[in-house]
């Protein structure tokens, strides 16, 4: 049976590895960390033992590849979807508006909800028609060169509409300032997520920690199917024989042979491998220019229950969302919440006490003065990656153009999706199916 090496044990690497062992391939994952999951991981809180995620992750009903992956692992029931998308939104001055989708045929499910969103005037709500027209008017190539902010102002969206709706949607889904986010990805979010159907726009949250959901379940699946996972092993070099991949070299010098190699690592890590190979210099230059964007999360524990909803959104505040965590704790009088700021370049260097002050400021219009008994920050500097806008830098193809048997996976490669769990899993599944179908191997 053919041997496949997968570099990286995040969602991309694990989806590829499990798809391959499912078909009888001899797959080995090398993961440099001591735990699997990459950017979807959790650690046990030393005080309570409850799992604390590296950041809140939301799933959407349109995450079909993720669903397939979780079903393969037998843990799909741990992502709990609500019937539709619904959230309370609050401004710094206390204005409140409810945003939701309805169980109606598309696009009525969304339009009806948007028309009832009282964060701006009825005239401003009707102006969404210009966005629908804009999505048809501009080609994907034009949208790829245009920022979301530019697209929205061309589509006559007022400043209030942008601040109280569009910016939050763009930050939540693309994790980058609307002035830097390409409009073609906003089109993907709207057409595949929010405008496709009520089911596709439903939001889902995991009822277990991310490591249990992805890493532990994938490890158990690999063990059951005879696959192998080697933790704390960093791949430092690719072994090439002319135009064919032959294996990898580990940091300890060990050489491991394989018929195929899938890299499933972020651009900064991939660059280190590519830079050493003369055959891969063009791609290396491209990868070097990919830009990352941070997410800052603050976990807080309070001695009182703050709100009943699963999450609440905010405009004009430092944090954009707060999530109520499921209580795993013995002491039910203590509640755990996670505040999230996306595209958070301004917050990445803040101290925990500064972030606590900002959290209180964000939460005040929702639940008054909040007494925080404990807090833990999570700063993910390289949370997601995108090519810089308008500089002709592209996301790489999954199949290497230069080396036979080499494939690139990861949320940031060319899946056509924003950098999300779904993109990571789709890339892993695509890399695996190239190998399984021997299409171009
Ligand atoms: C705080 C936060 C919140 C997010 N929220 C959401 C959300 O709500 N919804 C959503 O869909 N997405 C969200 N995302 C994005 C999502 O987490 C990522 O898109 C996805 O996890 C990326 O998976 P990946 O496998 O491509 O990469 P990674 O998870 O980065 O996996 C790469 C792995 O490779 C390993 N590695 C690197 N170099 C080497 C090497 N040389 N040898 C061996 N191993 C190596 C790394 O240790 C890592 O484990 C969020 C991300 C963050 C950080």
């Amino acid at each position: 049976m053919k041997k496949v090496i997968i570099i990286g044990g995040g969602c991309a690497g694990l989806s590829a590895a499990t798809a391959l062992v499912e078909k009888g391939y001899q797959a080995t994952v090398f993961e440099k960390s001591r735990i699997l999951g990459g950017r979807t991981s959790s650690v046990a809180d030393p005080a309570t033992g409850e799992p604390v995620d590296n950041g809140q992750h939301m799933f959407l009903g349109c995450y079909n590849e993720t669903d397939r992956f979780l079903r393969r692992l037998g843990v799909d029931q741990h992502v709990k979807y609500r019937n539709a998308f619904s959230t309370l939104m609050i401004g710094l001055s206390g204005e409140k508006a409810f945003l939701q989708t309805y169980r109606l045929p598309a696009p009525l499910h969304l339009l009806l909800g948007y028309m009832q969103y009282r964060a701006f005037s009825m005239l401003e709500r009707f102006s969404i028609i210009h966005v629908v027209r804009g999505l048809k008017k501009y080609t994907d190539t034009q949208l790829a060169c245009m920022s979301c902010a530019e697209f929205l102002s061309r589509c006559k969206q007022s400043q209030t509409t942008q601040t109280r709706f569009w910016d939050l949607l763009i930050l939540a889904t693309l994790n980058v300032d609307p002035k830097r986010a390409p409009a073609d990805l906003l089109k993907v979010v709207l057409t595949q997520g929010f405008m496709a159907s009520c089911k596709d726009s439903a939001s889902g949250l995991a009822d277990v920690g991310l490591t249990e959901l992805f890493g532990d379940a994938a490890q158990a699946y690999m063990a059951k199917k005879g696959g192998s996972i080697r933790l704390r092993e960093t791949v430092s070099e690719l072994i090439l024989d002319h135009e064919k991949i032959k294996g990898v070299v580990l940091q300890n010098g060990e050489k491991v042979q394989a018929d195929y190699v899938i890299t499933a690592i972020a651009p900064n890590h991939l660059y280190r491998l590519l830079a050493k190979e003369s055959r891969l210099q063009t791609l290396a230059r491209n990868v070097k220019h990919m830009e990352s964007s941070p997410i800052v999360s603050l976990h807080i524990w309070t001695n009182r229950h703050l709100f009943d909803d699963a999450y609440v959104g905010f405009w004009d505040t430092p944090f954009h969302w707060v999530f109520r965590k499921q209580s795993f704790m013995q002491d039910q009088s203590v509640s755990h919440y996670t505040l999230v700021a996306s595209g958070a370049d301004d917050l990445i260097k803040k101290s925990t006490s500064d972030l606590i002050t900002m959290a209180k400021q964000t939460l005040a219009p929702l639940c008054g003065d909040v007494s925080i008994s404990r807090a833990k920050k999570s700063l993910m500097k390289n949370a997601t990656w995108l090519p810089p806008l308008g500089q002709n830098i592209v996301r790489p193809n999954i199949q290497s153009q230069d080396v036979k048997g080499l494939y690139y996976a990861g949320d940031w490669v060319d899946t056509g999706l924003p950098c999300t769990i779904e993109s990571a899993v789709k890339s892993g599944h695509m890399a695996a199916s190239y190998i399984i179908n021997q299409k171009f191997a």
Side-chain angles (χ1 to χ4, degrees):
M1 191 37 86
K2 298 273 187 190
K3 286 187 186 168
V4 188
I5 286 173
I6 296 105
I7 311 172
C11 284
L14 295 175
S15 57
T18 53
L20 286 162
V21 294
E22 186 181 35
K23 295 286 179 201
Y25 283 78
Q26 205 178 320
T28 303
V29 177
F30 291 102
E31 166 52 55
K32 74 173 184 167
S33 164
R34 63 180 175 80
I35 55 165
L36 289 172
R39 278 171 276 161
T40 50
S41 56
S42 38
V43 289
D45 179 47
T48 61
E50 67 176 314
V52 177
D53 295 338
N54 65 329
Q56 180 66 50
H57 281 68
M58 190 188 271
F59 300 73
L60 283 179
C62 59
Y63 279 19
N64 296 326
E65 294 296 326
T66 307
D67 187 49
R68 187 156 77 90
F69 175 42
L70 294 176
R71 271 190 281 121
R72 180 183 307 128
L73 305 185
V75 290
D76 53 309
Q77 73 281 7
H78 286 304
V79 178
K80 302 277 191 262
Y81 283 96
R82 295 145 137 244
N83 284 337
F85 181 87
S86 67
T87 176
L88 174 67
M89 306 289 292
I90 303 188
L92 192 57
S93 55
E95 281 171 275
K96 290 184 183 164
F98 202 72
L99 184 62
Q100 70 179 116
T101 56
Y102 284 91
R103 291 174 71 82
L104 288 172
L108 280 181
H109 74 293
L110 176 75
L111 289 178
L112 184 64
Y114 193 76
M115 284 303 145
Q116 294 177 339
Y117 183 49
R118 293 168 193 274
F120 29 79
S121 72
M122 190 51 102
L123 200 65
E124 284 170 312
R125 281 175 248 167
F126 269 110
S127 74
I128 195 169
I129 193 71
H130 298 298
V131 175
V132 177
R133 284 198 196 126
L135 294 176
K136 290 194 180 134
K137 178 175 163 189
Y138 298 107
T139 63
D140 287 352
T141 317
Q142 287 172 319
L143 290 173
C145 303
M146 205 187 285
S147 75
C148 291
E150 186 186 344
F151 170 72
L152 292 170
S153 67
R154 285 191 193 198
C155 296
K156 302 179 187 168
Q157 297 303 289
S158 68
Q159 194 52 52
T160 316
T161 336
Q162 295 197 33
T163 315
R164 297 183 177 193
F165 177 73
W166 291 111
D167 290 0
L168 291 167
L169 177 74
I170 293 160
L171 283 164
T173 53
L174 307 184
N175 186 38
V176 63
D177 187 301
K179 293 191 191 73
R180 278 175 58 203
D184 62 331
L185 285 183
L186 176 61
K187 179 179 174 180
V188 171
V189 169
L190 291 174
T191 53
Q192 295 187 23
F194 290 93
M195 277 152 77
S197 72
C198 186
K199 179 243 158 213
D200 285 335
S201 60
S203 61
L205 296 172
D207 67 2
V208 291
L210 291 171
T211 294
E212 186 177 340
L213 184 70
F214 290 111
D216 293 353
Q219 193 155 25
Y221 186 87
M222 290 289 284
K224 192 171 83 184
K225 295 281 181 182
S228 159
I229 291 185
R230 291 178 57 181
L231 297 173
R232 291 183 173 164
E233 296 278 23
T234 303
V235 171
S236 58
E237 261 178 69
L238 301 172
I239 306 173
L240 307 184
D241 181 7
H242 303 291
E243 81 293 3
K244 175 91 182 81
I245 193 86
K246 289 287 171 191
V248 299
V249 184
L250 305 183
Q251 209 166 42
N252 62 12
E254 182 186 342
K255 290 186 177 159
V256 190
Q257 306 283 326
D259 301 292
Y260 304 99
V261 171
I262 300 174
T263 69
I265 55 184
N268 52 339
H269 294 137
L270 181 62
Y271 176 73
R272 282 182 217 146
L273 297 183
L274 299 178
K276 294 175 184 164
E277 299 297 339
S278 55
R279 189 173 279 279
L280 298 172
Q281 285 312 299
T282 312
L283 182 65
R285 274 194 296 275
N286 204 32
V287 167
K288 194 179 181 186
H289 286 100
M290 297 289 295
E291 289 178 346
S292 69
S293 188
I295 296 181
V296 171
S297 311
L298 187 73
H299 297 273
I300 58 166
W301 286 265
T302 62
N303 292 330
R304 75 175 167 98
H305 179 77
L306 300 182
F307 56 90
D308 291 330
D309 296 336
Y311 52 89
V312 176
F314 300 91
W315 69 76
D316 284 337
T317 49
F319 286 101
H320 307 125
W321 300 93
V322 61
F323 291 81
R324 182 170 57 81
K325 304 302 290 178
Q326 187 194 341
S327 184
F328 297 90
M329 288 172 280
Q330 301 279 314
D331 181 358
Q332 293 293 315
S333 64
V334 181
S335 303
H336 175 188
Y337 302 88
T338 306
L339 291 109
V340 179
S342 305
D345 299 273
D346 297 345
L347 267 58
I348 196 77
K349 292 204 172 124
K350 297 281 180 200
S351 65
T352 306
S353 70
D354 285 345
L355 293 175
I356 290 175
T357 307
M358 290 173 177
K360 287 182 168 192
Q361 190 190 359
T362 303
L363 291 169
L366 175 67
C367 39
D369 190 29
V370 177
S371 159
I372 296 173
S373 51
R374 204 155 57 85
K376 180 178 167 25
K377 67 178 174 184
S378 167
L379 309 176
M380 298 293 295
K381 186 168 167 272
N382 301 324
T384 57
W385 296 82
L386 275 180
L389 196 61
Q391 287 186 32
N392 217 12
I393 306 287
V394 290
R395 295 165 75 178
N397 290 328
I398 289 173
Q399 186 200 10
S400 168
Q401 311 294 301
D402 312 294
V403 175
K404 278 189 191 146
L406 177 61
Y407 300 88
Y408 305 112
D411 57 349
W412 61 282
V413 304
D414 189 13
T415 59
L417 301 176
C419 286
T420 51
I421 295 172
E422 178 67 0
S423 178
V425 174
K426 183 178 176 186
S427 74
H429 282 168
M430 284 174 74
S433 63
Y434 272 120
I435 293 172
I436 292 163
N437 297 323
Q438 300 279 305
K439 270 191 199 162
F440 308 98

Short mmCIF file of all heavy atoms in Angstrom, two decimals, residues 403-436:
data_model
loop_
_atom_site.label_atom_id
_atom_site.label_comp_id
_atom_site.label_asym_id
_atom_site.label_seq_id
_atom_site.Cartn_x
_atom_site.Cartn_y
_atom_site.Cartn_z
N VAL A 403 6.43 19.57 -8.57
CA VAL A 403 6.95 18.31 -8.02
C VAL A 403 5.83 17.27 -7.98
O VAL A 403 4.78 17.52 -7.38
CB VAL A 403 7.50 18.54 -6.58
CG1 VAL A 403 7.93 17.23 -5.95
CG2 VAL A 403 8.66 19.52 -6.61
N LYS A 404 6.06 16.13 -8.61
CA LYS A 404 5.04 15.07 -8.60
C LYS A 404 4.91 14.46 -7.21
O LYS A 404 5.91 14.21 -6.55
CB LYS A 404 5.44 13.97 -9.59
CG LYS A 404 5.08 14.31 -11.01
CD LYS A 404 5.28 13.11 -11.91
CE LYS A 404 5.18 13.55 -13.36
NZ LYS A 404 6.06 12.81 -14.24
N GLY A 405 3.67 14.20 -6.80
CA GLY A 405 3.44 13.55 -5.51
C GLY A 405 3.41 14.51 -4.34
O GLY A 405 3.27 14.09 -3.20
N LEU A 406 3.55 15.83 -4.61
CA LEU A 406 3.54 16.82 -3.52
C LEU A 406 2.24 17.64 -3.59
O LEU A 406 1.87 18.11 -4.68
CB LEU A 406 4.76 17.74 -3.66
CG LEU A 406 4.88 18.88 -2.65
CD1 LEU A 406 5.00 18.37 -1.21
CD2 LEU A 406 6.11 19.76 -2.98
N TYR A 407 1.58 17.79 -2.45
CA TYR A 407 0.29 18.50 -2.39
C TYR A 407 0.34 19.50 -1.23
O TYR A 407 0.97 19.24 -0.21
CB TYR A 407 -0.86 17.50 -2.18
CG TYR A 407 -0.92 16.49 -3.30
CD1 TYR A 407 -0.17 15.31 -3.22
CD2 TYR A 407 -1.66 16.74 -4.45
CE1 TYR A 407 -0.17 14.41 -4.27
CE2 TYR A 407 -1.66 15.84 -5.50
CZ TYR A 407 -0.92 14.67 -5.41
OH TYR A 407 -0.90 13.79 -6.45
N TYR A 408 -0.37 20.62 -1.43
CA TYR A 408 -0.42 21.66 -0.41
C TYR A 408 -1.84 21.76 0.13
O TYR A 408 -2.77 22.00 -0.65
CB TYR A 408 -0.01 23.02 -0.99
CG TYR A 408 1.34 23.00 -1.67
CD1 TYR A 408 1.44 23.17 -3.05
CD2 TYR A 408 2.50 22.80 -0.94
CE1 TYR A 408 2.66 23.15 -3.68
CE2 TYR A 408 3.74 22.77 -1.57
CZ TYR A 408 3.81 22.94 -2.94
OH TYR A 408 5.02 22.91 -3.55
N ALA A 409 -1.99 21.59 1.44
CA ALA A 409 -3.30 21.77 2.07
C ALA A 409 -3.19 22.87 3.12
O ALA A 409 -2.10 23.41 3.36
CB ALA A 409 -3.77 20.46 2.69
N GLY A 410 -4.30 23.20 3.74
CA GLY A 410 -4.34 24.28 4.74
C GLY A 410 -5.46 25.23 4.36
O GLY A 410 -5.82 25.35 3.19
N ASP A 411 -5.99 25.92 5.38
CA ASP A 411 -7.13 26.82 5.13
C ASP A 411 -6.82 27.90 4.11
O ASP A 411 -7.72 28.44 3.48
CB ASP A 411 -7.59 27.46 6.46
CG ASP A 411 -6.49 28.21 7.19
OD1 ASP A 411 -5.30 28.11 6.80
OD2 ASP A 411 -6.82 28.92 8.16
N TRP A 412 -5.53 28.24 3.92
CA TRP A 412 -5.14 29.39 3.11
C TRP A 412 -4.83 29.04 1.65
O TRP A 412 -4.58 29.93 0.86
CB TRP A 412 -3.90 30.04 3.75
CG TRP A 412 -2.74 29.09 3.80
CD1 TRP A 412 -2.54 28.08 4.69
CD2 TRP A 412 -1.65 29.03 2.89
NE1 TRP A 412 -1.39 27.39 4.40
CE2 TRP A 412 -0.82 27.97 3.30
CE3 TRP A 412 -1.28 29.78 1.78
CZ2 TRP A 412 0.35 27.61 2.63
CZ3 TRP A 412 -0.12 29.43 1.11
CH2 TRP A 412 0.68 28.36 1.54
N VAL A 413 -4.81 27.75 1.28
CA VAL A 413 -4.53 27.40 -0.13
C VAL A 413 -5.79 27.65 -0.96
O VAL A 413 -6.85 28.02 -0.42
CB VAL A 413 -4.00 25.95 -0.29
CG1 VAL A 413 -2.77 25.71 0.57
CG2 VAL A 413 -5.09 24.92 0.00
N ASP A 414 -5.71 27.43 -2.26
CA ASP A 414 -6.80 27.87 -3.13
C ASP A 414 -8.00 26.91 -3.08
O ASP A 414 -8.16 26.05 -3.94
CB ASP A 414 -6.29 28.02 -4.56
CG ASP A 414 -7.34 28.66 -5.44
OD1 ASP A 414 -8.32 29.20 -4.88
OD2 ASP A 414 -7.19 28.62 -6.67
N THR A 415 -8.84 27.10 -2.07
CA THR A 415 -10.08 26.32 -1.97
C THR A 415 -11.27 27.14 -2.45
O THR A 415 -12.38 26.61 -2.54
CB THR A 415 -10.36 25.91 -0.51
OG1 THR A 415 -10.46 27.13 0.26
CG2 THR A 415 -9.28 25.03 0.06
N GLY A 416 -11.06 28.43 -2.67
CA GLY A 416 -12.17 29.32 -3.04
C GLY A 416 -12.95 29.80 -1.82
O GLY A 416 -13.92 30.54 -1.96
N LEU A 417 -12.54 29.39 -0.62
CA LEU A 417 -13.28 29.76 0.61
C LEU A 417 -12.42 30.67 1.48
O LEU A 417 -11.18 30.64 1.38
CB LEU A 417 -13.62 28.49 1.41
CG LEU A 417 -14.46 27.43 0.71
CD1 LEU A 417 -14.61 26.20 1.62
CD2 LEU A 417 -15.84 27.99 0.36
N PRO A 418 -13.04 31.43 2.38
CA PRO A 418 -12.24 32.18 3.36
C PRO A 418 -11.47 31.21 4.27
O PRO A 418 -11.81 30.02 4.33
CB PRO A 418 -13.29 32.93 4.19
CG PRO A 418 -14.56 32.82 3.45
CD PRO A 418 -14.48 31.63 2.54
N CYS A 419 -10.47 31.73 4.98
CA CYS A 419 -9.65 30.86 5.85
C CYS A 419 -10.46 30.44 7.07
O CYS A 419 -10.53 31.17 8.07
CB CYS A 419 -8.41 31.61 6.31
SG CYS A 419 -7.25 31.75 4.99
N THR A 420 -11.05 29.30 6.97
CA THR A 420 -11.94 28.79 8.01
C THR A 420 -11.67 27.30 8.20
O THR A 420 -10.92 26.70 7.41
CB THR A 420 -13.41 28.92 7.56
OG1 THR A 420 -13.50 28.34 6.25
CG2 THR A 420 -13.85 30.36 7.51
N ILE A 421 -12.33 26.71 9.17
CA ILE A 421 -12.25 25.26 9.37
C ILE A 421 -12.69 24.57 8.08
O ILE A 421 -12.07 23.60 7.63
CB ILE A 421 -13.19 24.83 10.51
CG1 ILE A 421 -12.72 25.43 11.83
CG2 ILE A 421 -13.28 23.32 10.61
CD1 ILE A 421 -13.71 25.21 12.97
N GLU A 422 -13.77 25.08 7.47
CA GLU A 422 -14.30 24.45 6.26
C GLU A 422 -13.27 24.46 5.13
O GLU A 422 -13.12 23.48 4.41
CB GLU A 422 -15.60 25.15 5.84
CG GLU A 422 -16.25 24.64 4.57
CD GLU A 422 -16.81 23.21 4.68
OE1 GLU A 422 -16.72 22.58 5.75
OE2 GLU A 422 -17.32 22.73 3.65
N SER A 423 -12.55 25.56 5.00
CA SER A 423 -11.53 25.64 3.95
C SER A 423 -10.39 24.65 4.25
O SER A 423 -9.90 23.97 3.35
CB SER A 423 -10.99 27.07 3.87
OG SER A 423 -9.99 27.15 2.90
N ALA A 424 -9.98 24.59 5.52
CA ALA A 424 -8.91 23.66 5.91
C ALA A 424 -9.31 22.22 5.59
O ALA A 424 -8.56 21.46 4.97
CB ALA A 424 -8.60 23.81 7.39
N VAL A 425 -10.52 21.85 6.01
CA VAL A 425 -10.98 20.46 5.80
C VAL A 425 -11.16 20.18 4.31
O VAL A 425 -10.77 19.12 3.81
CB VAL A 425 -12.29 20.21 6.59
CG1 VAL A 425 -12.84 18.83 6.27
CG2 VAL A 425 -12.04 20.34 8.09
N LYS A 426 -11.71 21.16 3.58
CA LYS A 426 -11.89 20.96 2.14
C LYS A 426 -10.53 20.73 1.46
O LYS A 426 -10.38 19.84 0.62
CB LYS A 426 -12.58 22.19 1.54
CG LYS A 426 -12.87 22.06 0.06
CD LYS A 426 -13.60 23.28 -0.48
CE LYS A 426 -13.80 23.16 -1.98
NZ LYS A 426 -14.38 24.38 -2.58
N SER A 427 -9.52 21.52 1.87
CA SER A 427 -8.19 21.36 1.26
C SER A 427 -7.62 19.97 1.55
O SER A 427 -7.02 19.34 0.68
CB SER A 427 -7.24 22.45 1.76
OG SER A 427 -6.84 22.18 3.09
N GLY A 428 -7.83 19.50 2.79
CA GLY A 428 -7.32 18.17 3.17
C GLY A 428 -8.02 17.08 2.36
O GLY A 428 -7.38 16.16 1.84
N HIS A 429 -9.33 17.21 2.24
CA HIS A 429 -10.09 16.21 1.47
C HIS A 429 -9.70 16.26 0.00
O HIS A 429 -9.60 15.22 -0.67
CB HIS A 429 -11.59 16.48 1.61
CG HIS A 429 -12.14 16.00 2.93
ND1 HIS A 429 -13.39 16.33 3.40
CD2 HIS A 429 -11.59 15.19 3.88
CE1 HIS A 429 -13.59 15.74 4.58
NE2 HIS A 429 -12.52 15.06 4.88
N MET A 430 -9.45 17.46 -0.52
CA MET A 430 -9.07 17.56 -1.94
C MET A 430 -7.70 16.92 -2.18
O MET A 430 -7.51 16.17 -3.15
CB MET A 430 -9.05 19.02 -2.39
CG MET A 430 -10.44 19.60 -2.61
SD MET A 430 -10.40 21.36 -2.96
CE MET A 430 -9.81 21.35 -4.64
N ALA A 431 -6.75 17.20 -1.28
CA ALA A 431 -5.42 16.61 -1.43
C ALA A 431 -5.51 15.08 -1.39
O ALA A 431 -4.91 14.38 -2.20
CB ALA A 431 -4.49 17.12 -0.33
N ALA A 432 -6.31 14.58 -0.42
CA ALA A 432 -6.48 13.12 -0.31
C ALA A 432 -7.12 12.56 -1.57
O ALA A 432 -6.69 11.51 -2.08
CB ALA A 432 -7.32 12.78 0.92
N SER A 433 -8.11 13.25 -2.12
CA SER A 433 -8.77 12.65 -3.29
C SER A 433 -7.91 12.73 -4.54
O SER A 433 -8.01 11.87 -5.40
CB SER A 433 -10.19 13.15 -3.50
OG SER A 433 -10.23 14.45 -3.74
N TYR A 434 -7.01 13.72 -4.63
CA TYR A 434 -6.04 13.70 -5.75
C TYR A 434 -5.23 12.41 -5.68
O TYR A 434 -4.98 11.74 -6.68
CB TYR A 434 -5.07 14.88 -5.64
CG TYR A 434 -5.54 16.14 -6.32
CD1 TYR A 434 -5.71 17.31 -5.59
CD2 TYR A 434 -5.78 16.18 -7.69
CE1 TYR A 434 -6.13 18.48 -6.20
CE2 TYR A 434 -6.20 17.35 -8.30
CZ TYR A 434 -6.37 18.50 -7.55
OH TYR A 434 -6.78 19.65 -8.15
N ILE A 435 -4.80 12.06 -4.47
CA ILE A 435 -3.97 10.86 -4.31
C ILE A 435 -4.80 9.60 -4.57
O ILE A 435 -4.39 8.71 -5.32
CB ILE A 435 -3.34 10.84 -2.89
CG1 ILE A 435 -2.34 11.99 -2.77
CG2 ILE A 435 -2.69 9.50 -2.58
CD1 ILE A 435 -1.79 12.21 -1.38
N ILE A 436 -5.97 9.55 -3.96
CA ILE A 436 -6.81 8.35 -4.09
C ILE A 436 -7.20 8.12 -5.55
O ILE A 436 -7.15 7.01 -6.07
CB ILE A 436 -8.07 8.48 -3.19
CG1 ILE A 436 -7.65 8.43 -1.72
CG2 ILE A 436 -9.08 7.38 -3.49
CD1 ILE A 436 -8.68 8.95 -0.75
#
